[in-house]
Amino acid sequence: MHADDPSRDRERSPEAPEGRRKLSLAGLGLRLVVASAMIATLYLYARPATPVSPDAVVAVRPEAPFVPSTPAAKVPTVAAPVRFGLAEPGIDPVRITPGRIDPSTGLREDALTRGAFEALEAPALRVTLIRGAAARAATGLFILMARRAAGGPATDGPALAVVRTGPGGRIVTKFGVVETLEVTLGGPTRRTCTGFVTRDRAFRLDGWLCAPLGHPPETRALGCMIDALSLDDPADPDATAAFMAPRPDRGCSVATMADASDPTGSLGHRRSHTKK
């Protein structure tokens, strides 16, 4: 066996370092490329924003208009005027609220009031007339009184609340049987009144009557007041005829038709008589 020639080993030994040097140069070049890319990226982020000349025109994209998700509540519209009144003598004038139509239900609402709820020494009255397709919707009298007391389009007095209720009942009027309920209303002061609502007509009458000194009114006084309500609406002959129906004979004092049509309740020409 022949020994390896040392001269051949010396000739092959330089080739290994030559390959490693080539690989080292390639890796170094790759590192330089990566480092250059990182430096360029950092430069772009660190560079301050270019100032905009005041004279430069900047195009601004208009924003889309805001559209609320819940539509705004519809405002009641004023209805054609009618003659809604009270043909009953009294010291305080009758105040008539112009009729309004609820756009959500189509119901027409007319109202009248007499006296001030805060004046304990005088009667206080509030009546609301509702007409329309759903005017006879079944609503509990307590719920109805609570809603009326809280306020609404026909309210011209303070907001009230039903503090407690007493006995209920029924009275017969020219509109048929009327449901009643004793209610104690609280607000600037507290008064015990009688709430009422009609049930036998296509329209609905509801409200309350408060007697002086915080006592509930007598049944006869409430019946006389309801019978004294008047309406003249050529566009609704059925309702007008119902208001002109004969009154039950209970000996009520009534005013003349001219006095009942006076929207201010003027006392200058008021005359009264007792129905026999």
Side-chain angles (χ1 to χ4, degrees):
M1 177 178 293
H2 296 284
D4 292 336
D5 189 354
S7 61
R8 293 181 181 179
D9 294 337
R10 284 193 299 270
E11 290 177 359
R12 289 195 300 266
S13 61
E15 293 180 0
E18 180 72 17
R20 285 196 295 270
R21 282 197 299 271
K22 290 181 179 179
L23 291 176
S24 299
L25 291 176
L28 179 60
L30 181 60
R31 293 190 185 94
L32 290 175
V33 172
V34 174
S36 299
M38 294 179 62
I39 293 173
T41 302
L42 292 175
Y43 171 76
L44 290 176
Y45 278 100
R47 186 177 63 178
T50 304
V52 179
S53 172
D55 299 331
V57 178
V58 180
V60 179
R61 182 179 179 182
E63 296 182 358
F66 171 74
V67 179
S69 58
T70 303
K74 297 180 180 180
V75 179
T77 57
V78 178
V82 299
R83 299 176 68 181
F84 181 43
L86 179 67
E88 183 185 44
I91 298 176
D92 293 322
V94 176
R95 300 181 297 278
I96 308 297
T97 302
R100 299 186 180 188
I101 297 178
D102 188 333
S104 61
T105 63
L107 296 177
R108 172 175 178 138
E109 177 175 320
D110 296 270
L112 64 82
T113 56
R114 170 182 276 182
F117 184 82
E118 302 88 343
L120 293 177
E121 69 281 0
L125 168 68
R126 176 178 172 182
V127 182
T128 305
L129 169 62
I130 301 294
R131 288 182 286 168
R136 295 182 63 182
T139 302
L141 185 51
F142 171 77
I143 300 287
L144 184 58
M145 291 298 99
R147 291 175 180 172
R148 292 293 185 208
T155 302
D156 61 353
L160 305 173
V162 177
V163 179
R164 65 172 177 264
T165 60
R170 293 173 179 266
I171 60 174
V172 178
T173 70
K174 68 180 182 181
F175 301 108
V177 176
V178 174
E179 182 183 349
T180 64
L181 178 67
E182 183 179 299
V183 291
T184 299
L185 302 174
T189 186
R190 182 176 295 190
R191 300 185 70 164
T192 300
C193 313
T194 299
F196 62 90
V197 62
T198 59
R199 298 293 190 188
D200 296 339
R201 298 290 178 175
F203 55 83
R204 187 179 79 218
L205 279 166
D206 66 76
W208 59 68
L209 176 64
C210 309
L213 304 179
H215 299 292
E218 297 179 354
T219 301
R220 177 178 174 275
L222 178 61
C224 288
M225 186 280 301
I226 295 175
D227 289 336
L229 292 171
S230 62
L231 175 69
D232 184 6
D233 184 1
D236 193 349
D238 292 338
T240 300
F243 277 82
M244 295 178 64
R247 306 179 184 185
D249 187 5
R250 56 176 114 241
C252 302
S253 296
V254 297
T256 64
M257 291 303 295
D259 295 334
S261 64
D262 184 0
T264 62
S266 173
L267 301 177
H269 58 275
R270 175 163 290 170
R271 301 182 306 278
S272 63
H273 63 277
T274 301
K275 182 178 178 181
K276 301 297 183 181

